[in-house]
Amino acid sequence: MTSTSLAAGGRRRSARAMLAGLAFASMTALAGSAALAADTTTIRVLNWEPGGADYWKALVAEFEKQNPDIKVELETVPFDRYPEVQGPYITTKSGPDVMENNAGLELFDRRRAYAELPPEVLEAGKDLITYSGGCLNFDTTKACYGLPFGYQGNVMYYNKKVLAEAGLDPANPPRTWDEMGAACDKVKAVGKTCLAIGLSGIFPAYWDFPEIARNYLTEDDMRAMLTGKMPWTDPKMVNVLKGLASITEKGWTNSSAPSITMLPDGADIFQSGNAAFAGTIISDAVNWAAFGKVLGDENLGAMRWPTIVADAPLANSFSGIESSVFGVTSWSDKKDAAFKFVKFIAGKENAELLTKIAGGISLNKNVDPSVMPKSQALSQILEIIKTPTLHAGVLLSGQEADALARGWQEVALGRLSVEDWTGRMQKALEQSPSKRQ
């Protein structure tokens, strides 16, 4: 055999050896990847992205950094479509490992879809100002099905530029119902909507009803609502409905109110600069941070809703509640990983992300107040929330919340009397499973 043949044979053997080595390395890498995948648990989280996309991207990144063996897949649904997406999951007992719901009866009505939080997860609740909205009957000694991450509640925002245009003093917004009426007359005279509102969906129950209820109900009355012992035929409850009806009857609102939702439609009217006032919330998508970014922080103010009964015990209080809570689904086969996520939701790291990125007001006691953004509207809100009371909206069953919104739509259109609306509300109460127990 010639030296040339020997050299060629050596090269072929060397090439085969190299290919074999590459194949072995590839197989080893694949095996390593498979082992890594086997050691990673993926949990699905159903949510409506409170606080915005940037906040949630940071939340997931930080959680996965602290828990490298857990991967989070988000299923994000618009708030107004959330029940229709969540409902089939609950019916079929399948789908997400973690789900979001509003605190209070919305969560309690769905509690069979959630696993009770174990003591080691509830430990995170000790660092929160409150977490009772995730616990049955707002009692932390009873079963708890979710933990919150931020503070929530209602205020009325106002556009100082529109008030000035209408000849009103932006430094002194209306404080009473009569003052609100006078202000609305001036705002309408310059071609603007006074109070931007949308009556479709859950928003009237959560954002408007509590602010009228504070004029007529005591905290004991509200607790009676929770247990179904406060009938809608009670004169106090009838007065609440009359107060709501007066908002649209007086012509304070946009004509489209009965046919649109507050989020995004009603909020869009306000942040477009075409309305003087909007009643929304202190955190999440339609708060001071979102409005200030569009209108300019210098043009935005926050106040309590004007009082109807100025000397009512709760008239100058704040309707406060934990923001939405997160719980682990009863059908999840990844409960350990899911419970870690729920615990993280309530922790300090997430609280600081909520404050810095989303402009949210955290419930965690350990967050440094200096990380709060600078905003005049936020400063006003921080004063308002110092006198909290119960949030009547989260004490309504699903049946009552639906009847409230639908009834108000028809009242606004002149198709329903307050008396008939009262009858519908009482019927909804009597049909509420959560209030018959």
Side-chain angles (χ1 to χ4, degrees):
M1 183 178 291
T2 65
S3 59
T4 301
S5 299
L6 287 170
R11 286 194 295 272
R12 286 193 294 271
R13 285 192 298 274
S14 177
R16 284 195 295 270
M18 183 171 64
L19 288 171
L22 288 171
F24 178 77
S26 178
M27 291 174 64
T28 302
L30 287 171
S33 297
L36 184 62
D39 291 339
T40 301
T41 301
T42 299
I43 59 172
R44 290 177 55 198
V45 178
L46 181 68
N47 73 101
W48 57 76
E49 211 172 61
D54 290 343
Y55 161 62
W56 273 87
K57 183 178 180 180
L59 183 161
V60 170
E62 181 62 27
F63 175 77
E64 291 181 344
K65 178 182 176 182
Q66 294 188 24
N67 299 273
D69 58 335
I70 303 174
K71 180 177 175 56
V72 176
E73 288 185 356
L74 300 178
E75 182 179 358
T76 301
V77 180
F79 179 77
D80 59 339
R81 290 190 55 245
Y82 195 80
E84 69 184 70
V85 174
Q86 186 189 41
Y89 287 139
I90 294 175
T91 299
T92 60
K93 298 181 180 180
S94 63
D97 302 286
V98 175
M99 297 193 300
E100 177 179 15
N101 268 112
N102 281 308
L105 272 174
E106 182 179 303
L107 175 71
F108 304 159
D109 281 351
R110 296 163 174 77
R111 64 186 179 276
R112 290 180 179 81
Y114 289 92
E116 184 177 343
L117 298 185
E120 61 269 21
V121 176
L122 283 176
E123 279 292 314
K126 294 181 179 179
D127 290 328
L128 301 177
I129 296 170
T130 177
Y131 64 94
S132 62
C135 306
L136 195 59
N137 292 335
F138 292 87
D139 184 346
T140 56
T141 67
K142 298 184 183 295
C144 299
Y145 299 95
L147 283 176
F149 60 106
Y151 200 26
Q152 190 57 281
N154 307 333
V155 294
M156 185 173 283
Y157 293 100
Y158 57 95
N159 187 327
K160 299 177 185 178
K161 190 174 180 180
V162 174
L163 294 187
E165 184 183 348
L168 297 163
D169 182 1
N172 292 290
R175 290 178 170 80
T176 69
W177 217 236
D178 288 342
E179 289 176 2
M180 185 68 173
C184 284
D185 288 341
K186 292 186 176 183
V187 170
K188 289 189 293 180
V190 297
K192 298 288 179 74
T193 292
C194 186
L195 177 62
I197 202 167
L199 302 181
S200 179
I202 197 71
F203 302 102
Y206 283 162
W207 294 359
D208 305 310
F209 168 71
E211 305 318 296
I212 305 301
R214 287 190 291 104
N215 290 273
Y216 300 106
L217 306 183
T218 65
E219 288 195 346
D220 285 343
D221 292 332
M222 293 183 191
R223 291 189 180 92
M225 279 179 54
L226 174 65
T227 57
K229 296 177 182 177
M230 185 69 174
W232 284 91
T233 51
D234 186 288
K236 293 181 179 180
M237 300 298 282
V238 175
N239 280 334
V240 175
L241 295 182
K242 287 180 177 178
L244 290 170
S246 72
I247 294 172
T248 45
E249 289 171 348
K250 291 175 182 291
W252 292 356
T253 67
N254 41 292
S255 60
S256 60
S259 61
I260 65 171
T261 61
M262 189 60 201
L263 179 64
D265 305 318
D268 284 346
I269 294 172
F270 178 71
Q271 67 185 12
S272 70
N274 289 313
F277 303 94
T280 67
I281 47 181
I282 64 173
S283 298
D284 303 339
V286 282
N287 68 334
W288 59 271
F291 289 146
K293 186 176 181 179
V294 177
L295 297 174
D297 187 66
E298 71 280 5
N299 293 319
L300 182 69
M303 66 186 212
R304 291 184 182 87
W305 278 57
T307 60
I308 301 175
V309 183
D311 60 351
L314 303 179
N316 291 299
S317 299
F318 168 68
S319 298
I321 186 65
E322 300 99 311
S323 59
S324 55
V325 298
F326 287 79
V328 176
T329 56
S330 58
W331 57 78
S332 174
D333 58 359
K334 303 168 184 176
K335 284 188 172 62
D336 288 345
F339 280 135
K340 286 183 180 179
F341 183 82
V342 169
K343 191 172 183 178
F344 175 82
I345 281 284
K348 181 182 177 182
E349 294 86 353
N350 183 43
E352 292 183 343
L353 291 174
L354 174 70
T355 300
K356 292 177 182 177
I357 300 175
I361 299 174
S362 173
L363 283 170
N364 195 290
K365 301 172 186 175
N366 301 319
V367 174
D368 184 350
S370 68
V371 304
M372 293 293 289
K374 304 302 179 186
S375 159
Q376 185 176 347
L378 175 59
S379 297
Q380 291 172 309
I381 289 169
L382 293 177
E383 286 299 314
I384 291 170
I385 67 177
K386 288 180 179 179
T387 53
T389 188
L390 295 174
H391 189 292
V394 302
L395 308 181
L396 297 177
S397 64
Q399 291 82 356
E400 289 171 294
D402 184 64
L404 187 85
R406 292 179 185 274
W408 195 1
Q409 286 174 301
E410 293 189 48
V411 168
L413 292 168
R415 299 174 182 172
L416 188 71
S417 67
V418 172
E419 182 180 1
D420 289 337
W421 190 14
T422 301
R424 288 191 187 182
M425 295 304 302
Q426 181 61 27
K427 184 177 180 180
L429 168 61
E430 293 166 0
Q431 294 176 339
S432 302
S434 58
K435 297 193 175 185
R436 296 202 306 264
Q437 294 176 0

